[in-house]
Amino acid sequence: MALTRLDKFLADRTPHSRSDIKKLLRAGAVLVDGKAVSDAGCRIDPDAQEVRCGGKLIRGGTHRYLLLNKPEGVISATEDRDHKTVIDLVPEELRIKGLFPAGRLDGDSTGMILVTNDGDLAHQMLSPKHHVPKHYLVQLARPFEPNYSAKFESGLVLSDGMHCLPAQIAPLDVPGNFALVCLHEGKYHQVKRMAAAVGNHVEHLHRVAVGGLILPPELPLGGCLELFHKDVERMLKTCETLDLRDQIVMDFSSYSINAGI
């Protein structure tokens, strides 16, 4: 990365104003490679140097990747006049200009959603041709039937005639008619409409994985954490439904509590 002014770097990546940053610099609260810096115009290389402000590591790089555990009633949008959005859930210290949700979850659905300012990554995740799997923990109104798996894998036709790509559904060995659904696309209300197409109804939907990255079961609804490059790479890889099913069953109590099921 090209060299950039220290005060601009901090202003872009922290909630502090330029005047706040000058005060922090004068107070010795800004460290570059472990040494206090007081010069706002000092030029740094964020990719090669470590910057801390008030004891917190301020990450460089152009892009930011945040994982949110979306609660019910929060909208997958950058702004909304009537509802809280996923951007409103991002802590001030993690905010950066240009953040948006990569994909969406319905307002009444919960779980994993990526917030980023990286449009190229969002396209890779959302385009059906890249086949990035997305897994959902689903509570059905009625018991799982064995023929559901074959119907999902054959590519269901929805009530409006829309054809779905082959998908997977597998029952979970826990009380309450739970199943794990894997999609490689994201049509409107797709999981709910697919369940209706096989004669069932979705009571609750909680996204638990994108690619090979799994939602931490201990992350509470509304919780947010920063992802690193290894996590982002994992999001673009395949995670087998059967392997994931075993882990979801093992962590089911945590998911059910944090998802409000």
Side-chain angles (χ1 to χ4, degrees):
M1 178 182 284
L3 296 182
T4 186
R5 283 178 59 106
L6 179 58
D7 58 350
K8 182 180 186 305
F9 172 75
L10 292 173
D12 288 344
R13 288 163 175 78
T14 73
H16 301 304
S17 66
R18 289 288 182 101
S19 60
D20 289 336
I21 291 167
K22 288 180 180 178
K23 293 177 184 177
L24 290 165
L25 287 163
R26 287 197 296 268
V30 178
L31 305 181
V32 178
D33 291 337
K35 296 180 179 179
V37 176
S38 58
D39 179 9
C42 171
R43 293 189 171 274
I44 62 165
D45 181 349
D47 284 341
Q49 294 177 283
E50 180 185 272
V51 180
R52 291 185 178 271
C53 182
K56 294 181 179 179
L57 178 64
I58 310 301
R59 303 192 183 281
T62 305
H63 297 128
R64 177 155 291 174
Y65 308 97
L66 306 173
L67 187 154
L68 279 168
N69 190 359
K70 188 187 89 65
E72 187 174 352
V74 174
I75 305 301
S76 301
T78 54
E79 58 182 38
D80 189 278
R81 293 178 59 183
D82 302 315
H83 301 90
K84 181 177 286 188
T85 73
V86 292
I87 302 301
D88 294 326
L89 298 179
V90 177
E92 286 291 335
E93 65 269 17
L94 292 179
R95 293 194 181 188
I96 189 172
K97 295 176 178 67
L99 289 175
F100 64 91
R104 65 184 303 276
L105 281 170
D106 298 334
D108 61 352
S109 298
T110 60
M112 181 175 178
I113 192 163
L114 176 71
V115 173
T116 185
N117 61 344
D118 187 345
D120 290 338
L121 176 75
H123 175 72
Q124 279 187 278
M125 284 178 49
L126 301 174
S127 173
K129 72 178 183 180
H130 288 104
H131 301 292
V132 175
K134 300 168 186 68
H135 283 88
Y136 302 84
L137 173 61
V138 175
Q139 185 175 29
L140 299 171
R142 291 177 289 281
F144 183 94
E145 296 183 11
N147 63 3
Y148 291 173
S149 296
K151 289 182 177 180
F152 270 60
E153 289 175 1
S154 67
L156 282 170
V157 179
L158 303 180
S159 59
D160 61 358
M162 183 174 290
H163 288 254
C164 297
L165 291 175
Q168 292 77 45
I169 185 170
L172 297 182
D173 188 19
V174 296
N177 301 330
F178 285 94
L180 188 64
V181 173
C182 177
L183 302 182
H184 296 275
E185 56 184 339
K187 294 182 171 68
Y188 179 70
H189 289 327
Q190 185 170 351
V191 176
K192 297 173 183 176
R193 295 163 70 198
M194 292 175 80
V198 297
N200 213 315
H201 174 75
V202 171
E203 296 283 349
H204 194 94
L205 184 149
H206 185 67
R207 184 153 63 200
V208 292
V210 174
L213 185 65
I214 301 173
L215 178 70
E218 69 278 4
L219 186 67
L221 285 174
C224 175
L225 57 84
E226 186 171 10
L227 299 177
F228 303 102
H229 287 294
K230 63 180 181 181
D231 303 312
V232 174
E233 291 173 1
R234 201 174 297 138
M235 293 185 81
L236 300 176
K237 294 181 179 179
T238 297
C239 183
E240 296 297 330
T241 298
L242 291 180
D243 293 340
L244 182 56
R245 180 173 64 176
D246 293 340
Q247 182 163 347
I248 296 300
V249 169
M250 183 173 62
D251 293 327
F252 180 78
S253 60
S254 295
Y255 278 120
S256 60
I257 292 171
N258 285 332
I261 298 172

